[in-house]
C-alpha cells in the first residue's frame, strides 16, 4: 500500500525550529530573526556552523575575532577545505541513488556523473597537478565552459590548496588576459572549443595566445570538448602541444586515488579569484576564502533559496539548476549545490536557441526531462520568454519545479506575472498554483547575496522578499542616513564571512578600500543595531546598487549606481569596452551607458567621437560592433551607436557615464550634473535633446 510522503517543510522553518530546540531562541517575525542575525553576529554565525555540522580537525578560538571592515577575521584556528565539505556526501548520496551532476548541451550529449566518480576524477586530477609541482597558494587558471569537467577541475585545484580562477570561452582573448595576467597562474586548464547558438567555435588559437602571454604557466591541460572522434582528439592535442590530456589526467584509479584526502587549510586560505567588471580600469581580481565562502553559501542556498540535500527525507530527489556561463558568479553558485549533497543539473549552450532558429523553450524542456526542482536563470531569460510568447504547456512535464530563481538584473513585474500565470495554468501540485520566486541580488564581490527569498513570506511581483540573514543591509542617503521606502545606496553595515580577503596585487589594500569602503567615513553607522563606532572599526560596505526597502521588509534594486554594464546576466566594466572601441583608428573617444532598469527594456547606446572628416555609416558601425564582439563578447554589442561631437567629462577628465545614464532614465539635467564641475558643459545640450527624443517628447 503506497504511503503519502509527509508535507514539505521549508528549510528556513527547519532552521528556526532548530534554534528554538537547541538555543532556546524564538522569534515572532522574520524581521526579528533578521535583526538578531545582524546584531548578534557571533551567535548567528556559530548557529550556522552548528546547524550545518561544519567540521574542522582543530577548534576555532572565536567566531569573529575583530569586528572591523575591511579586515574582519572569522573562525581563527579552524581548518577547512571546500572539497572536504563536498566529499562528505559521496557515500550517502550514492547509496540513495542520486548522481552528483547531470549535464546536457546543444548537441544533446547528456551525461551523468556519480558521486564516487566525481570524487575519483577529482583525486586523479589533484594528484596529477601535485606531481606537476602545484603547491598550496599557487594559482591555476581555467578557460572552460559550463560542463562537469570544469567542476572536477575546480575541486581538484582547491583540494590541494591551489587557487582557482575561470574565464568563459565566449570571452575574447584580451578580456581573458586582462584577468589572468594579473594573477600569474602556474597552470592552465583549457578546452579546444565550445558550441553555442548552433555553431562550433574553435578556441585552440586562443589557448596558444594565452600560453604565449602568460609566462608563469608551466603546465597546460587540454580538455577536448569539441573533438569527439579519436583522430580529431589526437589532432587537437597535437596542435596544443606541449600539454597533457584532461581525460588521461582524470583517468587514474589506484590505491593513491582511493586514499586521497583534500588538505585541511586555514579557514581563510584563498579558494578562488573572481573578477570585478573593470569599470575604472583592469578588472579587480577578488580573492575569497574557503571557509567564509562555504558557510555563506550554506546559509544562502539552503535557508533562503530553499534548496535541500537530495538524500534528506524532506527534500528527497532535489535537483538544482541555475543557468550560467563560467564567466558569471552564478556558476560558482551552481557548484555550491554540491556542498549540501544536492544534484546539480547544468546546461551548456544558448538558452535562446540560435539566430536562425530562436527558441526560448530550450531550458524549460531540459528542466522537464531532468525533473528539476529549483529552476534558476538571469532575469533577462524570463523577460525573453515573455517576449517570445513561450507556452510552458508545450515544454514537457514540469511538475517537479517548485521554485524559480532570478538574479543578474531586476526582474520586472510583467516577467514575474508571466511565469506565475504559466505555472498556474500547468499546475500539477499545490505549490505550482502560486509558484515561489526566489529573486536574489548580491554580487561577485562577496560571492553571495544581500537580498533574496524566504519561502514563508508573502511575495509581491517585482520585489525581493527580504534582506538575508547575517546581512546588515540598509539603504542610505548621501549623508549616510538609513532611509525606508525611498531609494538609497545599498550598504552592508556589518561584515559577513565571504567578503573578500584581498585583491591580487593590492598590497596596501587601497583598491579594496576604494571599491567598497570609501564613500562613507570610517566608524559611521558601524555599531551593530545602529550608531557609530570609532574610526578603527572601519567603514561600511557600499555595494554600488540603488536599493529601496519597503515598510514590510521587501526590497527593490533599481540597477547599478556605478557604470557597470550588465547585459543578459554577464557583467562587464565600461573600461573594457572602451579599450576595444578606442583601439580602432577611426574612434577618438567613446562612452557607453547601460539603461538596464527595473521594468524597462534593456537598452545600451554607445556614443563615439570620430576622427575629423569621418561620418558614422553602416560599415564603421559594423566594424565597431565587431571589435566589441571579438574583444569582449557578442553580449556587449550596443543596441545603438551614435556619433557625437564630444564625450562629457569632468574637470579631472572622467567620463560622465552615471549622470548621462540618469538623464536618459528620465531625470532632469540640472539634478544629475553640475556644469561647473565639467570640462565641456556645452556638449550637454545634445545629450538632453537625445534624452527627450528617447522619451518621445520630440520626434525622432
Amino acid at each position: 500500500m503506497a504511503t503519502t510522503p509527509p508535507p514539505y517543510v521549508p528549510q528556513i522553518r527547519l532552521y528556526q525550529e532548530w534554534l528554538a530546540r537547541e538555543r532556546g531562541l524564538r522569534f515572532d517575525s522574520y524581521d526579528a530573526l533578521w535583526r538578531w542575525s545582524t546584531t548578534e553576529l557571533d551567535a548567528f554565525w556559530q548557529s550556522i556552523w552548528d546547524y550545518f555540522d561544519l567540521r574542522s580537525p582543530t577548534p576555532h578560538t572565536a567566531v569573529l575575532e575583530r569586528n572591523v571592515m575591511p579586515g574582519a577575521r572569522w573562525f581563527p584556528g579552524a581548518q577547512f577545505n571546500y572539497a572536504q565539505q563536498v566529499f562528505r556526501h559521496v557515500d550517502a548520496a550514492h547509496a540513495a541513488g542520486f548522481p552528483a551532476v547531470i549535464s546536457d548541451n546543444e548537441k544533446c550529449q547528456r551525461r551523468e556523473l556519480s558521486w564516487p566518480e566525481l570524487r575519483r576524477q577529482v583525486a586523479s586530477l589533484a594528484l596529477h597537478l601535485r606531481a606537476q609541482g602545484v603547491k598550496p597558494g599557487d594559482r591555476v587558471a581555467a578557460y572552460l565552459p559550463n560542463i562537469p569537467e570544469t567542476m572536477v577541475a575546480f575541486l581538484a585545484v582547491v583540494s590541494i590548496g591551489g587557487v582557482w580562477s575561470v574565464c568563459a570561452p565566449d570571452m575574447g582573448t584580451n578580456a581573458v588576459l586582462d584577468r589572468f595576467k594579473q594573477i600569474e597562474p602556474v597552470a592552465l586548464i583549457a578546452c579546444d572549443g565550445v558550441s553555442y547558438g548552433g555553431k562550433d567555435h574553435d578556441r585552440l588559437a586562443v589557448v596558444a595566445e594565452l600560453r604565449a602571454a602568460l609566462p608563469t604557466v608551466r603546465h597546460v591541460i587540454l580538455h577536448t570538448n569539441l573533438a569527439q572522434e579519436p583522430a580529431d582528439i589526437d589532432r587537437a592535442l597535437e596542435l596544443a602541444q606541449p600539454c597533457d590530456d584532461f581525460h588521461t589526467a582524470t583517468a587514474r584509479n589506484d590505491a593513491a586515488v582511493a586514499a586521497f584526502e583534500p588538505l585541511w587549510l586555514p579557514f581563510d586560505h584563498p579558494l578562488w579569484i573572481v573578477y570585478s567588471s573593470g569599470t575604472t580600469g583592469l578588472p579587480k581580481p577578488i580573492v575569497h576564502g574557503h571557509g567564509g565562502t562555504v558557510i555563506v553559501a550554506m546559509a544562502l542556498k539552503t535557508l533562503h533559496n530553499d534548496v535541500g540535500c537530495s538524500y534528506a527525507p524532506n527534500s528527497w530527489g532535489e535537483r538544482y539548476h541555475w543557468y550560467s556561463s563560467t564567466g558569471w558568479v552564478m556558476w560558482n553558485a551552481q557548484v555550491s549545490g554540491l556542498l549540501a549533497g544536492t544534484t546539480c543539473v547544468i546546461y551548456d549552450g544558448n538558452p535562446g536557441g540560435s539566430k536562425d532558429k530562436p527558441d526560448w523553450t530550450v531550458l524549460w524542456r531540459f528542466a522537464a526531462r531532468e525533473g528539476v526542482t529549483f529552476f534558476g536563470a538571469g532575469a533577462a531569460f524570463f523577460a525573453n520568454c515573455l517576449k517570445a510568447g513561450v507556452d510552458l504547456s508545450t515544454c514537457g512535464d514540469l511538475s517537479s519545479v517548485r521554485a524559480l530563481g532570478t538574479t543578474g538584473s531586476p526582474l520586472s513585474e510583467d516577467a514575474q506575472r508571466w511565469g506565475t500565470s504559466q505555472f498556474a495554468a500547468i499546475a500539477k501540485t499545490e505549490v505550482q498554483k502560486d509558484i515561489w520566486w526566489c529573486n536574489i541580488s548580491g554580487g561577485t564581490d562577496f560571492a553571495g547575496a544581500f537580498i533574496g527569498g524566504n519561502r514563508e513570506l508573502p511575495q509581491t511581483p517585482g520585489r525581493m522578499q527580504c534582506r538575508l540573514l547575517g546581512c546588515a543591509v540598509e539603504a542610505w542617503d548621501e549623508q549616510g542616513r538609513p532611509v525606508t521606502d525611498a531609494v538609497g545606496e545599498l550598504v552592508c553595515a556589518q561584515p559577513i564571512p565571504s567578503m573578500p580577503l584581498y585583491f591580487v596585487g593590492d598590497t596596501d589594500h587601497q583598491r579594496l578600500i576604494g571599491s567598497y569602503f570609501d564613500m562613507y567615513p570610517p566608524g559611521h553607522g558601524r555599531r551593530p543595531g545602529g550608531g557609530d563606532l570609532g574610526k578603527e572599526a572601519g567603514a561600511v560596505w557600499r555595494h554600488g546598487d540603488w536599493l529601496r526597502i519597503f515598510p514590510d521588509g521587501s526590497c527593490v534594486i533599481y540597477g547599478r549606481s556605478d557604470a557597470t554594464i550588465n547585459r543578459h546576466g554577464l557583467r562587464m566594466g565600461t573600461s573594457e569596452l572602451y579599450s576595444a572601441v578606442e583601439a580602432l583608428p577611426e574612434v577618438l573617444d567613446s562612452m557607453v551607458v547601460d539603461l538596464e532598469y527595473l521594468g524597462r527594456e534593456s537598452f545600451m547606446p554607445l556614443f563615439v567621437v570620430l576622427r575629423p572628416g569621418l561620418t558614422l555609416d553602416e560599415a564603421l558601425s559594423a566594424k565597431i560592433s565587431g571589435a566589441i564582439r571579438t574583444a569582449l563578447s557578442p553580449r556587449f554589442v550596443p543596441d545603438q551607436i551614435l556619433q557625437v561631437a564630444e564625450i562629457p567629462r569632468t574637470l579631472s577628465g572622467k567620463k560622465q557615464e552615471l549622470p548621462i545614464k540618469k538623464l536618459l532614465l528620465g531625470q532632469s539635467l540640472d539634478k544629475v550634473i553640475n556644469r561647473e564641475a565639467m570640462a565641456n558643459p556645452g556638449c550637454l545640450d545634445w545629450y538632453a535633446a537625445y534624452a527627450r527624443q528617447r522619451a518621445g517628447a520630440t520626434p525622432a
Side-chain angles (χ1 to χ4, degrees):
M1 183 175 177
T3 58
T4 303
Y8 175 79
V9 182
Q11 300 291 334
I12 198 163
R13 191 193 307 170
L14 292 175
Y15 168 67
Q16 289 179 263
E17 291 172 352
W18 180 90
L19 281 178
R21 185 173 64 251
E22 301 294 330
R23 298 291 197 267
L25 293 170
R26 293 173 176 83
F27 303 93
D28 59 7
S29 66
Y30 176 76
D31 184 68
L33 173 63
W34 174 79
R35 292 188 184 281
W36 168 77
S37 76
T38 56
T39 53
E40 303 296 331
L41 298 181
D42 283 26
F44 169 69
W45 287 109
Q46 183 65 56
S47 80
I48 296 298
W49 180 287
D50 294 341
Y51 181 70
F52 290 108
D53 188 27
L54 301 183
R55 299 172 187 174
S56 166
T58 53
H60 50 272
T61 57
V63 175
L64 178 56
E65 189 175 59
R66 193 163 70 101
N67 187 338
V68 60
M69 290 198 293
R73 188 175 177 219
W74 294 89
F75 297 96
Q79 297 179 70
F80 218 83
N81 192 300
Y82 192 110
Q84 282 276 8
Q85 176 65 24
V86 171
F87 289 170
R88 285 175 56 177
H89 302 288
V90 169
D91 293 339
H94 186 61
F98 298 120
V101 184
I102 299 171
S103 67
D104 208 343
N105 60 21
E106 293 186 354
K107 297 179 178 179
C108 301
Q109 295 167 325
R110 183 191 184 278
R111 293 181 289 160
E112 284 193 15
L113 186 65
S114 72
W115 283 92
E117 181 63 6
L118 171 69
R119 189 195 181 284
R120 188 201 63 74
Q121 289 189 26
V122 168
S124 176
L125 183 56
L127 292 171
H128 174 89
L129 290 167
R130 185 181 285 169
Q132 298 301 321
V134 176
K135 306 183 300 297
D138 283 347
R139 294 151 189 167
V140 177
Y143 185 63
L144 294 167
N146 185 28
I147 53 177
E149 287 80 3
T150 309
M151 292 181 166
V152 168
F154 160 62
L155 291 171
V157 168
V158 304
S159 69
I160 59 172
V163 187
W164 169 263
S165 193
V166 64
C167 283
D170 68 347
M171 296 171 67
T173 307
N174 293 342
V176 176
L177 287 175
D178 281 348
R179 289 157 173 77
F180 286 168
K181 274 186 174 181
Q182 296 185 73
I183 70 170
E184 299 181 321
V186 302
L188 173 66
I189 306 174
C191 65
D192 61 339
V194 291
S195 297
Y196 192 86
K199 296 181 180 179
D200 287 346
H201 303 272
D202 189 288
R203 287 293 183 261
L204 286 172
V206 176
V207 174
E209 290 181 76
L210 296 179
R211 185 205 298 270
L214 297 170
T216 56
V217 169
R218 309 190 295 263
H219 185 61
V220 175
I221 300 173
L222 186 76
H223 168 56
T224 48
N225 186 52
L226 278 187
Q228 298 295 315
E229 299 300 322
D232 295 331
I233 292 171
D234 291 344
R235 175 182 170 276
L237 291 168
E238 183 178 347
L239 288 173
Q241 287 299 318
C243 72
D244 281 338
D245 176 19
F246 186 94
H247 176 75
T248 303
T250 55
R252 186 172 170 180
N253 191 10
D254 55 19
V257 166
F260 175 80
E261 289 290 337
L263 289 176
W264 288 108
L265 303 161
F267 185 85
D268 59 357
H269 184 85
L271 170 69
W272 57 41
I273 301 168
V274 291
Y275 301 91
S276 72
S277 310
T279 301
T280 55
L282 286 174
K284 300 177 184 71
I286 303 168
V287 183
H288 297 131
H290 276 253
T293 300
V294 170
I295 196 169
V296 168
M298 296 297 286
L300 167 63
K301 195 71 69 265
T302 306
L303 304 186
H304 285 287
N305 291 10
D306 202 43
V307 176
C309 171
S310 294
Y311 60 87
N314 183 60
S315 47
W316 188 263
E318 187 87 277
R319 290 191 169 188
Y320 169 54
H321 164 76
W322 201 303
Y323 176 77
S324 180
S325 79
T326 51
W328 188 22
V329 77
M330 292 314 297
W331 177 83
N332 308 66
Q334 173 76 80
V335 174
S336 73
L338 298 174
L339 293 168
T342 309
T343 298
C344 292
V345 183
I346 63 174
Y347 184 83
D348 182 42
N350 189 339
S354 64
K355 276 190 175 181
D356 298 336
K357 295 181 179 179
D359 180 5
W360 288 98
T361 69
V362 168
L363 288 184
W364 296 112
R365 290 184 284 108
F366 170 59
R369 290 195 303 273
E370 303 303 340
V372 164
T373 55
F374 184 104
F375 180 96
F381 168 80
F382 294 98
N384 280 313
C385 290
L386 164 63
K387 293 172 192 172
V390 168
D391 180 356
L392 294 188
S393 68
T394 67
C395 298
D397 182 3
L398 288 164
S399 60
S400 295
V401 177
R402 57 179 181 80
L404 301 175
T406 71
T407 191
S409 60
L411 181 71
S412 71
E413 287 187 41
D414 288 345
Q416 184 163 342
R417 292 185 193 281
W418 168 84
T420 300
S421 63
Q422 285 285 318
F423 270 92
I426 63 169
K428 292 185 178 179
T429 62
E430 280 299 311
V431 79
Q432 289 188 330
K433 293 177 182 177
D434 185 20
I435 194 78
W436 178 61
W437 288 84
C438 181
N439 303 330
I440 68 172
S441 180
T444 301
D445 314 76
F446 64 103
F450 282 139
I451 312 214
N454 178 334
R455 187 178 275 280
E456 302 220 287
L457 291 178
Q459 55 181 355
T460 302
R463 295 190 197 176
M464 289 166 280
Q465 290 172 294
C466 61
R467 291 170 282 182
L468 299 197
L469 295 177
C471 299
V473 167
E474 295 177 327
W476 281 14
D477 64 16
E478 292 181 1
Q479 285 72 44
R481 297 172 299 202
V483 295
T484 300
D485 215 7
V487 177
E489 284 277 357
L490 190 163
V491 304
C492 188
Q494 299 299 331
I496 61 172
S498 63
M499 284 178 176
L501 302 176
Y502 55 87
F503 292 169
V504 175
D506 184 26
T507 53
D508 58 0
H509 300 299
Q510 289 308 298
R511 290 186 82 194
L512 179 69
I513 292 169
S515 297
Y516 312 114
F517 299 106
D518 69 348
M519 184 164 183
Y520 299 101
H524 178 79
R526 282 286 289 112
R527 186 178 299 281
D532 299 341
L533 292 175
K535 289 184 178 180
E536 68 279 0
V540 300
W541 173 290
R542 176 254 180 183
H543 193 57
D545 278 338
W546 297 122
L547 168 68
R548 182 180 179 185
I549 304 169
F550 290 84
D552 66 355
S554 63
C555 301
V556 170
I557 294 286
Y558 290 95
R560 298 293 291 171
S561 62
D562 57 22
T564 301
I565 308 168
N566 192 344
R567 296 282 280 177
H568 313 302
L570 194 62
R571 200 170 266 179
M572 190 75 73
T574 54
S575 65
E576 297 193 74
L577 189 142
Y578 299 148
S579 295
V581 172
E582 293 171 18
L584 298 174
E586 297 90 344
V587 180
L588 294 178
D589 203 358
S590 64
M591 183 178 72
V592 67
V593 292
D594 178 12
L595 302 186
E596 172 269 318
Y597 194 76
L598 184 76
R600 296 173 183 258
E601 187 150 356
S602 176
F603 183 78
M604 191 176 81
L606 172 67
F607 307 100
V608 293
V609 179
L610 303 180
R611 291 192 177 279
L614 293 181
T615 301
L616 186 68
D617 55 17
E618 288 186 9
L620 183 51
S621 292
K623 184 175 182 180
I624 293 170
S625 296
I628 296 168
R629 185 178 290 107
T630 301
L632 302 178
S633 165
R635 305 187 197 198
F636 294 99
V637 172
D639 295 294
Q640 187 177 20
I641 304 175
L642 302 106
Q643 183 175 356
V644 295
E646 291 180 279
I647 299 299
R649 291 183 177 271
T650 64
L651 292 171
S652 60
K654 293 183 179 178
K655 299 179 185 184
Q656 295 275 49
E657 297 158 318
L658 185 54
I660 297 303
K661 175 176 179 173
K662 291 180 178 179
L663 176 68
L664 296 179
L665 287 173
Q667 298 187 40
S668 62
L669 185 61
D670 59 346
K671 288 185 177 180
V672 301
I673 205 160
N674 178 8
R675 288 177 179 266
E676 294 181 359
M678 288 192 61
N680 53 350
C683 73
L684 291 174
D685 292 340
W686 185 93
Y687 292 90
Y690 176 68
R692 290 193 298 271
Q693 174 190 314
R694 279 273 304 156
T698 59

